[in-house]
Structures are given as C-alpha cells and as structure tokens.
Amino acid sequence: MQSVDFSQGLYGRLRQQAGNDWQDYVAHPFIQQLSRGTLPENAFRRYLTQDYLFLIHFARAYALLVSKLRTLPEMRAATASLNAIVAELPLHVGYCENWGLSEAQMMQEPEAAETMNYTRYVLDIGHSGDALDLLVALLPCVAGYAEIGLRLLNAPDTVLEGSPYASWIRNYGDPDYLNGVRAALSLLETVGQQRGAESRFSELSAIFTTATRLESAFWQMGLNAVQSA
C-alpha cells in the first residue's frame, strides 16, 4: 500500500493548526458510515451529484492558479492538476451512471448552498489573493481526500467486501492519484518559499481552516439528504 506523509512542511503545519476542524473533516460521520458500508445510498447520490458540480468549479480554480504562477515548471505542475480534474469528470460521470445518475441529470441539479459556499470561497480567495493563498485554499480537498482514502484503505474495520462504496475507497490508493497529490504538496512548498509563507502563516492558516470547515459541511450536506428525504 502506498503512503503519503501529510505531517511535513507547510501543509503539515497548516493541517496541525486546523486542529479539531481537521479531525471533524477527515473523521466525519459521512466517512465513518461510508467505511462501514452503512451510509444511506441517497446520501451518497446527493454527494455524487454535488461533487460533479463541485469539480467543475474546482477546475476553474486550478485554471486561475495557472494564471497566477510565474515559472514554467510551476505552471506545468498546476496544469497537470487541472488536466487531471478535467480528465476525472468523464470517469466521475461513468461512476455516477452506476448509481443511476446521468450527466444530464447532474447538470440540471441546482447547486447546494454548501457547494456554492465552498467553491465560491476558493475562487474568491484566488481572485483576491495570490497563488499561495489559492493553493492553501485548494489543498484541504486535494490532500485531504488522499488522507481520508488511505486511512480507510489501511483501517482493519473498513468494509470493502460487498460494500457499494468499495470502488470509491479503492480509488484513493491509485498510484497516479497519489503521485498527483505529492506533486501538489511539493508545489505548495515551492510557492510558499517564494512568497513568504512564514511571515503570512496566520493568514494562510485562516484560509486553510475555513476551507476545511467547508469540506466538513460538504459531507454533512450528503447526510442531510437522508433527513430531507
């Protein structure tokens, strides 16, 4: 099983500073139920639909990041992430079809308030700040999902046999996916050194923690579908 060290460097410090908000995100009840295979399927369908809409705006945010970077190696790294998201969308659509969700259906679905709050926050940080601000807003999703997925894959009580969520969990152990996460963490270190992360740490921490809270709200949005059904 591949691994990623999430405790090192600027990312590790931001993650640690997020404290309980980080733990609330990576160990959210949505994830706990998903790992046991007990998550109600309508909660997961709600999540999948909104995640499709989320990915579209996430791709916009990465396109904005490319325009804010100054060197070709950095631009290549960010473009690789952008391309991965754009390439992921057809795979996401194919996966959603297994859950009875067509792309046309998902495109017509209104964005949930949680989707709008999160994606527009990231885009606003990108428009009002610099490349470092935007990267910090993006990383709770990029690296957080890897941490969640690897935790589930390594946890002895995660149910994979017969679980409808097994393929979703296994996706986060994919070597290409994890290499992309490592590249994003490396880009954060590079840009952080260039743009004075040390002197800006408190502001960057506020961005990171806010994005983390919005991630937790995104999971909760899925669970709320059960209550409103």
Side-chain angles (χ1 to χ4, degrees):
M1 178 66 63
Q2 292 204 22
S3 63
V4 180
D5 189 346
F6 299 105
S7 64
Q8 298 300 306
L10 176 58
Y11 176 81
R13 291 178 61 205
L14 291 166
R15 176 176 167 272
Q16 182 179 29
Q17 192 68 24
N20 290 336
D21 287 314
W22 187 257
Q23 293 309 313
D24 290 344
Y25 163 41
V26 298
H28 193 277
F30 182 99
I31 293 299
Q32 294 178 26
Q33 292 177 35
L34 185 147
S35 72
R36 295 191 295 266
T38 60
L39 181 70
E41 292 190 0
N42 59 331
F44 193 64
R45 286 191 181 91
R46 173 69 164 166
Y47 160 77
L48 286 176
T49 299
Q50 292 299 315
D51 196 42
Y52 170 81
L53 301 173
F54 172 91
L55 285 169
I56 294 170
H57 295 294
F58 214 60
R60 293 176 60 210
Y62 257 105
L64 178 59
L65 177 63
V66 174
S67 74
K68 287 179 169 285
L69 294 168
R70 297 173 182 163
T71 72
L72 191 55
E74 294 163 7
M75 293 168 66
R76 284 189 182 123
T79 300
S81 295
L82 170 60
N83 289 340
I85 295 167
V86 173
E88 182 186 346
L89 277 164
L91 297 175
H92 185 83
V93 169
Y95 180 76
C96 290
E97 286 175 351
N98 295 328
W99 282 85
L101 298 167
S102 70
E103 185 168 22
Q105 282 178 284
M106 292 188 291
M107 287 178 67
Q108 292 171 3
E109 187 74 16
E111 285 184 77
E114 294 85 354
T115 307
M116 294 182 70
N117 289 344
Y118 189 8
T119 59
R120 301 325 189 268
Y121 174 75
V122 172
L123 285 165
D124 180 63
I125 289 294
H127 284 294
S128 62
D130 66 0
L132 180 57
D133 293 315
L134 180 50
L135 264 173
V136 166
L138 290 165
L139 261 293
C141 179
V142 174
Y145 266 54
E147 178 176 340
I148 290 166
L150 289 173
R151 276 191 183 193
L152 296 184
L153 286 168
N154 289 312
D157 56 348
T158 296
V159 176
L160 292 175
E161 189 67 33
S163 170
Y165 310 117
S167 62
W168 186 92
I169 296 170
R170 288 192 177 103
N171 177 63
Y172 294 101
D174 179 78
D176 289 340
Y177 168 75
L178 294 176
N179 285 337
V181 173
R182 293 187 190 97
L185 291 171
S186 177
L187 180 61
L188 175 68
E189 288 301 313
T190 299
V191 176
Q193 290 169 10
Q194 291 173 349
R195 307 206 181 187
E198 195 64 39
S199 63
R200 298 166 54 185
F201 185 77
S202 61
E203 292 86 357
L204 297 174
S205 177
I207 293 170
F208 186 93
T209 300
T210 298
T212 297
R213 291 180 184 137
L214 292 168
E215 278 285 7
S216 292
F218 200 78
W219 293 138
Q220 189 60 44
M221 172 267 301
L223 284 184
N224 290 346
V226 180
Q227 300 169 5
S228 61

